[in-house]
């Protein structure tokens, strides 16, 4: 075996194999590293004080590319840092001693690393058991499987959770050294911490190929989410967005959008991802980003000067910090300052203190009423979790109704605090009355995929409520549950606006469905109401911004252009939970079936449905039936909809004013008096005229001509719209305005 510094030739890749008591597996890991189609590698095996026969097994290896070292037990991070310091190749991979590489792994990842600006390349894993056989439990595999392939999709998901497989990463050695390597104080999230710091500076690529085999044999450190592991995740995220790195993150979230618009888009997308992380400590930063985005969108010179000055100061601080040692490498005598989450803010406080409302993203626009469906009829443990979450939400000042079986003991069980959710019967009539009585944003929290709960969730979605599915148990594995239907649970996952899970294995099926999963680990009994309150804070932050669906009405033949336009819109509006759907009007399967339009739409994550009836109104009605969200924006085929700043303003106005049914966004195309400008292909024959002056209380509905209508789903539901209506887009918009007014809602045009 070679010496650690043997040879002057630089290999193309260094593979670091940290090993600790993995005698049965370590030789397989090393051999997989040597059997690469790219043979120009060095393999550094560092034994972290194993007590088994690992070193004896490693002594049988006779290959000059392998170096074996040993030191007393120091922990994984320090072992990896030693390997990083010894690595000679420009690209580094660390391979746990119980995992294996596919033969083409290094070759494929080195090829991807040639893309300009790339700092790290990831691939997908194949999860196997201790014997190398496919794992029976699909949850671990589903946790890692993702459709993300570039920064635009990787970054928001990574802020939410660590779905990236550590042995699947090949990263730039000098970049990793520059950011300080692995944090020795972290036991589980050291890889997540490093990815966040790397991606703030360089691009990432994710190959959709299974190039590593990860053993899942029960002793994996990251197999479950616990309060301690989530605390590490929070610490990593807070450090990644510290002063001096924030502007780099904004640029990464802005993507290819440049100029002032890129500044706005990057801030809103970054703020949205931070809020969805569920980490309380990042809320002030998210609020600051939202305020800066608003100021930049308005374009004030003072705001631009303040931002430039602030950015310069942060840059100077960041430069100084990079010149000094990383914080976690200080001596033990230099204690780490504790991260203290901000105190919880009640909704009632927001009404009394406008200055607090300004500090919270969305202000008073959060969910005003919660309906929590207790799982008592089907599972005692699920019922207890639902009751505790309901009471924790109530302790945060939210209006909460817990619906369940009044005769069940678990229905009355809950938190020990003074604030408790109202208890109501779980009957259909009681739930409908509760939903109808709500005057603001409403969220239905479903704890179990019981048929009655799924049926009410569908009703609530149609009425404009938000649906949140909290998966606290593996229902498919529960004995004696005659009501459980896997298809029913998949339907609930598909219709839910948000999904959460109590552990990573439980999150697997949710991740497999392509959903972003909020991890809400069940607190230990001794942690009490404070821990449940932290989960309630995560729920409140996750639902702070409303969900939005953008529905485009297209003609046959416009599918490709319309899907591409909405996919681009979804990428631009990163700060909003945006769903998209194209409805092709007057299209039969034969007429619109040319090309793999359905496959294209699925890959772009854009819904595609066909309406057999001609006309804008009928197509929109079908779109409303096949989608669900709190806000709906109607656009024409081929259009990308309003600018991010305009859509944000419209959504904010709708959720802040319960009496507002719709907001018209975007300037009309000027036309001479008495004339109409007819849009070309993709405009759905819409007549566009210059809007009349904005006069309060006017009855004419044509002031919305040429604009995008952004509507409250609750208002649309209470307007009881018919399935049939005008075929012309302008007439459909005007008829919709009149219907909303008849139902008691106002319609407003967004001022430029």
């Amino acid at each position: 075996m070679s010496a650690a510094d043997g040879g002057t030739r630089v290999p193309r890749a260094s593979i670091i194999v940290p090993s600790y008591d993995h005698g049965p597996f370590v030789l397989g890991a090393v051999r997989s590293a040597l059997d690469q189609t790219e043979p120009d590698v060095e393999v550094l095996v560092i034994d972290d004080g194993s007590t088994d026969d690992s070193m004896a097994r490693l002594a049988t290896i006779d290959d000059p590319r392998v170096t074996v070292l040993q030191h007393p037990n120091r922990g994984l991070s320090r072992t990896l840092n030693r390997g990083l310091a010894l690595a000679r190749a420009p690209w580094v991979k660390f391979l746990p001693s119980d995992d294996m590489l596919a033969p083409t792994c290094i070759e494929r990842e080195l090829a991807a690393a040639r893309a300009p600006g790339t700092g790290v390349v990831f691939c997908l894993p194949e999860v196997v058991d201790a014997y190398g056989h496919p794992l029976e439990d699909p949850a671990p595999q589903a946790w890692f499987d993702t459709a993300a392939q570039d920064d635009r999709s990787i970054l928001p998901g990574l802020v939410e959770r660590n779905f990236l497989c550590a042995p699947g990463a090949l990263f730039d050695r000098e970049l990793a050294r520059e950011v300080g390597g692995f944090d020795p104080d972290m036991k589980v999230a050291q890889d997540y911490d490093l990815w966040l710091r790397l991606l703030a500076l360089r691009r990432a690529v994710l190959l959709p190929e299974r190039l590593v085999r990860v053993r899942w044999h029960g002793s994996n450190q990251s197999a479950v989410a616990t309060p301690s592991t989530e605390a590490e995740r929070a610490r990593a995220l807070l450090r990644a967005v510290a002063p001096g790195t924030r502007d780099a993150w904004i640029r990464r979230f802005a993507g290819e959008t440049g100029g002032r618009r890129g500044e706005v888009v990057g801030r809103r997308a970054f703020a949205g991802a931070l809020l969805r992380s569920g980490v309380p400590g990042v809320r002030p930063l998210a609020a600051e980003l939202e305020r800066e985005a608003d100021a930049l969108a308005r374009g004030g010179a003072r705001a631009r000067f303040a931002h430039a000055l602030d950015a310069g100061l942060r840059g100077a601080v960041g430069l100084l910090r990079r010149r000094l040692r990383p914080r976690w490498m200080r001596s033990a005598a230099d204690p780490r300052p504790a991260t203290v989450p901000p105190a919880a803010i009640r909704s009632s406080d927001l009404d009394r203190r406008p200055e607090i409302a300004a500090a919270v993203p969305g202000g008073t626009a959060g969910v005003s009423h919660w309906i929590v469906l207790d799982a008592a009829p089907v599972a005692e443990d699920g019922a207890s979790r639902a009751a505790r979450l309901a009471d924790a939400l109530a302790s945060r000042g939210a209006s909460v109704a817990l619906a369940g079986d009044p005769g069940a003991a678990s229905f009355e069980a809950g938190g020990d605090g003074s604030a408790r959710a109202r208890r109501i019967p779980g009957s259909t009539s009681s739930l409908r009355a509760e939903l109808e009585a709500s005057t603001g944003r409403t969220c239905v929290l479903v704890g179990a995929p019981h048929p009655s709960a799924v049926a009410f969730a569908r009703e609530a979605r149609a009425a404009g409520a938000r649906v949140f599915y909290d998966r606290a148990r593996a229902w498919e594995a529960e004995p004696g549950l005659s009501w459980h239907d896997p298809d029913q649970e998949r339907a609930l996952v598909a219709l839910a606006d948000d999904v959460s899970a109590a552990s990573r294995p439980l999150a697997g099926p949710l991740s497999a469905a392509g959903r972003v999963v909020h991890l809400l680990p069940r607190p230990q009994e001794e942690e009490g109401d404070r821990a449940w309150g932290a989960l309630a804070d995560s729920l409140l932050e996750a639902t702070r911004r409303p969900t939005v669906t953008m529905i485009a009405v297209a003609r046959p033949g416009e599918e490709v252009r319309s899907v591409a336009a909405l996919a681009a819109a979804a990428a631009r509006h990163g700060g909003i939970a945006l769903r998209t759907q194209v409805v092709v009007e007057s299209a039969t399967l034969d007429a619109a079936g040319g090309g793999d339009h359905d496959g294209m739409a699925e890959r772009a994550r854009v819904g595609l449905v066909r309406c057999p009836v001609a006309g804008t109104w009928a197509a929109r009605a079908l779109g409303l039936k096949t989608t669900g969200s709190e806000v709906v924006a109607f656009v024409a085929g081929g259009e990308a909809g309003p600018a991010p700043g305009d859509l944000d303003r419209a959504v904010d106005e709708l959720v802040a004013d319960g009496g507002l049914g719709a907001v018209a966004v975007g300037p009309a195309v000027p036309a001479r008096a008495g004339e109409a400008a007819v849009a070309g292909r993709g405009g759905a024959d819409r007549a566009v005229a210059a809007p009349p002056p904005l006069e309060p209380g006017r009855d004419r509905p044509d002031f919305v001509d040429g604009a995008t209508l952004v509507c409250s789903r609750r208002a649309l539901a209470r307007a009881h719209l018919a399935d049939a209506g005008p075929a012309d887009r302008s007439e459909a918009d005007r008829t919709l305005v009149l219907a909303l007014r008849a139902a008691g809602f106002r319609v407003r045009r967004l001022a430029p």
Side-chain angles (χ1 to χ4, degrees):
M1 291 178 280
S2 67
D5 58 349
T8 58
R9 188 187 56 81
V10 176
R12 295 195 66 194
S14 296
I15 303 173
I16 304 169
V17 183
S19 178
Y20 178 73
D21 283 354
H22 275 161
F25 307 120
V26 65
L27 288 183
V30 174
R31 285 170 183 152
S32 74
L34 295 172
D35 293 340
Q36 293 294 300
T37 55
E38 171 52 72
D40 192 8
V41 299
E42 69 168 351
V43 181
L44 301 174
V45 184
I46 306 178
D47 186 87
D48 190 28
S50 293
T51 59
D52 62 3
D53 62 347
S54 294
M55 288 299 293
R57 292 173 183 258
L58 289 169
T60 64
I61 299 176
D62 184 15
D63 192 304
R65 295 174 295 171
V66 178
T67 298
V68 177
L69 303 170
Q70 187 179 33
H71 58 221
N73 186 265
R74 301 176 182 176
L76 178 59
S77 292
R78 289 180 172 84
T79 301
L80 291 172
N81 281 337
R82 185 183 183 190
L84 185 60
L86 295 172
R88 295 182 295 127
W91 292 93
V92 175
K93 174 182 289 291
F94 79 84
L95 175 66
S97 53
D98 54 343
D99 296 336
M100 295 165 288
L101 302 180
T104 60
C105 179
I106 298 297
E107 179 185 3
R108 297 287 297 123
E109 291 188 330
L110 283 174
R114 286 198 290 265
T118 300
V120 57
V121 178
F122 297 97
C123 68
L124 297 178
E126 178 190 3
V127 183
V128 298
D129 63 16
Y131 304 100
H133 302 143
L135 203 64
E136 293 184 3
D137 181 4
Q141 182 69 66
W143 176 264
F144 294 113
D145 285 352
T146 175
Q149 294 187 28
D150 54 26
D151 290 334
R152 186 171 294 179
S153 48
I154 291 175
L155 279 176
L158 187 62
V159 171
E160 171 70 26
R161 65 181 179 89
N162 185 17
F163 60 89
L164 298 171
C165 175
L170 182 76
F171 54 90
D172 185 307
R173 178 195 63 186
E174 291 306 315
L175 182 64
R177 290 175 177 176
E178 177 186 339
V179 300
F182 297 90
D183 183 352
D185 292 336
M186 289 193 174
K187 299 182 181 301
V188 175
Q190 60 270 91
D191 58 326
Y192 179 61
D193 175 64
L194 181 62
W195 308 152
L196 287 171
R197 286 181 280 124
L198 294 181
L199 291 184
L201 302 176
R202 299 276 284 277
R203 295 186 179 278
V205 175
L206 194 151
L207 295 175
E209 305 172 32
R210 301 195 191 282
L211 300 176
V212 295
R213 303 186 78 190
V214 175
R215 293 189 195 270
W216 206 264
H217 46 75
S219 61
N220 303 72
Q221 287 182 310
S222 56
V224 296
T226 65
S228 61
T229 63
E230 290 304 287
E232 279 199 6
R233 182 177 74 92
R235 181 151 58 92
L237 183 57
L238 287 168
R239 181 162 58 207
V241 299
T245 64
R246 196 187 67 159
D247 281 356
W249 280 96
I250 292 172
R251 289 193 296 271
R252 310 298 289 117
F253 274 91
E256 298 178 358
T257 307
R260 188 190 306 171
R261 183 180 177 189
E263 294 279 349
V264 174
V265 170
R267 279 168 169 75
R268 293 200 190 283
F270 188 19
L274 289 173
L275 290 177
R276 290 189 294 273
S277 74
V279 176
V282 300
R283 295 175 201 160
L285 174 57
E288 181 183 353
L289 290 167
E290 291 277 9
R291 289 195 298 271
E292 288 180 2
D294 290 340
L296 287 167
R298 289 192 294 268
R302 180 178 300 177
R304 293 197 300 273
F305 174 75
H307 165 65
L309 179 61
D310 187 42
L313 291 174
R314 285 198 304 271
V317 172
L319 178 61
L320 179 61
R321 178 165 294 176
R322 287 193 294 273
R323 296 291 185 185
L324 301 176
R325 291 174 300 166
R327 182 181 302 176
W328 57 90
M329 299 179 73
R330 294 179 298 189
S331 66
D334 186 9
R336 181 193 309 276
T339 299
V340 180
I345 300 176
R346 296 171 179 263
S347 298
S348 56
D349 293 332
L350 296 177
D351 298 331
R352 296 195 305 269
R353 296 178 56 190
E355 69 276 12
I356 294 182
V360 178
T364 58
V367 171
S368 59
H369 185 53
W370 290 77
I371 302 175
V372 181
L373 305 186
D374 193 3
V378 292
E380 185 73 15
D381 191 47
S384 175
R385 178 178 172 91
R388 294 298 298 266
L389 284 174
D391 289 343
L393 287 167
S395 73
R396 292 314 196 238
S399 169
V400 188
L402 176 65
D405 180 8
S410 58
F411 183 64
E412 291 301 328
D416 301 325
S418 58
R420 280 172 59 85
R422 288 187 298 111
R423 266 60 173 172
I424 64 172
S427 63
T428 301
S429 59
S430 177
L431 289 172
R432 287 174 175 167
E434 189 72 23
L435 185 62
E436 182 68 23
S438 177
T439 58
R441 290 182 61 202
T442 302
C443 184
V444 176
L445 182 63
V446 182
H450 191 273
S452 60
V454 177
F456 177 67
R458 287 197 179 96
E459 284 190 36
R461 279 291 297 273
R466 190 180 190 125
V467 174
F468 201 124
Y469 174 36
D470 177 43
R471 193 171 198 261
R473 303 185 65 159
W475 300 105
E476 67 279 2
E478 293 290 328
L481 292 185
S482 58
W483 56 266
H484 183 263
D485 180 359
D487 291 335
Q488 190 91 332
E489 183 167 15
R490 282 192 288 270
L492 176 59
V493 173
L495 73 88
D497 296 280
D498 310 273
V499 291
S500 65
S503 67
R504 286 193 172 93
L506 289 173
L510 308 179
S511 301
R515 303 302 304 274
V516 172
V517 185
H518 303 274
L519 279 176
L520 302 179
R522 180 185 179 87
Q524 302 298 318
E525 289 300 324
E526 62 270 14
E527 294 181 291
D529 289 341
R530 182 177 180 181
W532 287 102
L535 297 190
D537 290 338
S538 295
L539 288 172
L540 292 170
E541 291 299 342
T543 57
R544 178 73 61 186
R545 297 284 295 176
T547 53
V548 182
T549 296
M550 193 175 289
I551 299 177
V553 177
R555 294 174 175 176
E558 294 180 339
E559 294 92 340
V560 174
R561 190 156 57 93
S562 299
V563 167
L566 290 195
R572 287 200 314 272
H573 297 281
I576 295 180
L578 180 67
R579 293 186 175 186
T580 51
Q581 183 168 67
V582 174
V583 182
V584 186
E585 61 169 309
S586 187
T588 64
L589 290 177
D590 293 336
D596 184 19
H597 296 148
D598 292 320
M600 173 200 62
E602 183 178 358
R603 289 189 294 273
R605 297 192 177 183
V606 176
L608 179 63
V609 296
R610 298 179 176 88
C611 179
V613 181
T616 298
W617 188 278
R620 287 179 178 178
L622 179 61
L624 288 173
K625 290 179 179 179
T626 54
T627 63
S629 62
E630 297 171 88
V631 177
V632 180
F634 295 114
V635 301
E639 292 184 0
D646 288 345
L647 183 60
D648 288 335
R649 290 169 59 197
V651 170
D652 288 343
E653 290 197 16
L654 286 172
V655 298
D657 185 349
L660 195 60
V663 176
V665 179
V669 177
R672 289 177 296 176
E675 294 185 354
V678 180
R681 189 170 183 264
D685 285 341
R686 65 184 187 279
V688 182
L694 299 181
E695 300 171 1
R698 64 179 178 274
D699 296 324
R700 293 177 58 189
D702 59 353
F703 71 97
V704 299
D705 285 357
T708 296
L709 276 181
V710 183
C711 308
S712 160
R713 172 83 68 156
R714 183 175 66 91
L716 294 176
R718 299 193 179 191
H720 302 292
L721 303 177
D723 290 340
D728 176 78
R729 179 186 175 185
S730 291
E731 288 301 321
D733 286 345
R734 296 171 187 176
T735 302
L736 181 57
V737 170
L738 294 175
L740 290 171
R741 286 177 174 173
F745 293 95
R746 291 174 285 105
V747 180
R748 178 183 304 159
R749 179 122 196 184
L750 189 68

